[in-house]
């Protein structure tokens, strides 16, 4: 007689879904949000558009995540900038204090090196306290593969 | 002699990739889409832009997902609104019937509470049948950590 | 006496976070990007906006991912087009050579069939070498469930 033992992968899939479905079952009567069950979480935010509105919205989104009571103290966040999103790290853009405050709370501030080359941006025009990584796309791919969430806010001022 | 046994995590990674690569191998001759191998799936849609176009597109995307023959009856979907995306839940916006129909099919309709406070939106201006969650960013992070897919449609009317 | 053995799921969560946190710990002194520890990775890019700018940016993002030294030779990439994003596959759009070059490198070129029906696009107006899948939303959901990263670039020209 052959009995198929569940593989770890299938067990994990079942477990994850069980968690998710338990939460969704609450929807009927007063669903108040998904529940945190892990010790640690990761989230990578992408910014690939320029302008004050996009920067303000993205940094505000990150702050709101850091303050979510479900995730307090359990969270590692990274912000990856590519394409026109490099604006977020340009010196004297008005966001130095905010960026430093986020970094103090553990937020990793990363810049795509391809963008610097392609858009002819000098590393020295960016804040010295940020980190350059090989590619923004690779950074996102690797973080998601580690189980981090990917969040890409829409720049404001469109679709009106 | 030391033999390193694969951890469940590594086995899962190998399994997931095997599934993915098997599908990609089909690309050469008539690839017709990734295959469903799990019992259940989750997907969280984000809407963070306002306007009829963004709402219509996002709800249409959700409907199309619910009707994908590969996932029929295996799917839990959540829609999280934040920033100007709260528009989707504003009373008399013309989408009440559509939202109720989605909810009947199990779609969780969630609103970020930070947005209500920051944009001075009264809970009573939103449909009573929606659910408020602590933060949209936390909701997305938690769902992705549970293995749910994240989908963030681009609002229409841009980049033209 | 009852001892709760960690489930594979919990062990995986712990492992993933350990990987992530190890990388984040590097942030303090010269963080140079997340590290690749797997044999294989997958990434699905979504394009759901039209216009030359959106196409150019998305294809450039894919090329940059393929060239990331951390992921070279370990990567399967898929591009899924839906809504106005079908533009990327319209014959004589100027991107035929680029698309063929990507496909040669293993990139799966997929088109949502709902879009063809809803926007009255004839399959024959698209390049013959692309693949039509049941739905773009289903494709993204399935890929993310297989552990693939989801990347959705912002179309350029907005939020300025």
């Amino acid at each position: 007689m052959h009995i198929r033992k569940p593989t770890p992968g299938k067990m994990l899939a079942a477990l994850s879904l069980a968690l998710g479905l338990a939460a969704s079952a609450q929807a009927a009567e007063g669903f108040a949000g998904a529940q945190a069950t892990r010790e640690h979480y990761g989230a990578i935010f992408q910014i690939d558009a320029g302008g004050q509105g996009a920067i303000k919205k993205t940094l505000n989104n990150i702050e709101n995540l850091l303050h979510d009571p479900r995730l307090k103290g359990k969270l590692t966040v990274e912000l990856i900038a590519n394409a026109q999103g490099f604006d977020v790290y340009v010196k004297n853009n008005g966001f130095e204090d905010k960026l430093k405050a986020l970094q103090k709370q553990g937020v990793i501030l990363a810049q795509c090196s391809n963008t610097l080359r392609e858009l002819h941006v000098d590393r020295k025009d960016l804040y010295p306290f940020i980190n350059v990584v090989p590619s923004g796309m690779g950074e996102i791919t690797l973080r998601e593969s580690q189980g981090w969430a990917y969040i890409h806010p829409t720049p404001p001022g469109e679709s009106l």
Side-chain angles (χ1 to χ4, degrees), chain A:
Chain A
M1 197 176 77
H2 294 280
I3 298 178
R4 293 237 318 262
K5 269 178 62 181
T7 62
K10 286 202 178 151
M11 287 166 71
L12 173 75
L15 177 75
S16 298
L17 263 302
L19 294 173
L21 294 178
S24 87
Q26 302 167 350
E29 31 180 312
F31 173 72
Q35 303 295 319
T37 54
R38 282 196 195 172
E39 291 299 310
H40 294 103
Y41 293 85
I44 184 161
F45 283 78
Q46 183 187 9
I47 183 165
D48 65 346
Q52 295 276 311
I55 297 173
K56 220 171 154 175
K57 183 175 178 179
T58 300
L59 300 186
N60 181 53
N61 282 172
I62 293 175
E63 282 193 321
N64 279 341
L65 179 58
L66 293 172
H67 291 123
D68 189 304
R70 296 172 291 181
L71 295 165
K72 267 224 139 163
K74 303 180 176 178
L75 197 59
T76 305
V77 175
E78 179 168 341
L79 172 62
I80 176 71
N82 72 288
Q84 293 297 333
F86 77 83
D87 267 14
V88 69
Y89 297 141
V90 171
K91 281 178 185 170
N92 304 315
N93 64 355
F95 293 95
E96 181 167 4
D97 290 348
K98 180 77 81 186
L99 289 169
K100 282 182 169 168
L102 288 174
Q103 194 174 48
K104 220 174 200 169
Q105 292 170 81
V107 177
I108 301 168
L109 304 174
Q111 168 63 46
C112 170
S113 75
N114 291 316
T115 299
L116 301 187
R117 193 185 66 248
E118 292 169 10
L119 301 185
H120 310 292
V121 179
D122 193 327
R123 172 66 181 86
K124 287 182 213 147
D125 292 334
L126 306 183
Y127 292 117
F129 55 82
I130 64 145
N131 297 102
V132 177
V133 301
S135 84
M137 300 304 112
E139 196 68 11
I140 294 169
T141 299
L142 286 165
R143 287 313 192 188
E144 290 195 62
S145 80
Q146 291 171 351
W148 290 36
Y150 166 67
I151 304 180
H152 191 182
T154 303
E158 61 208 84
S159 86
L160 301 177

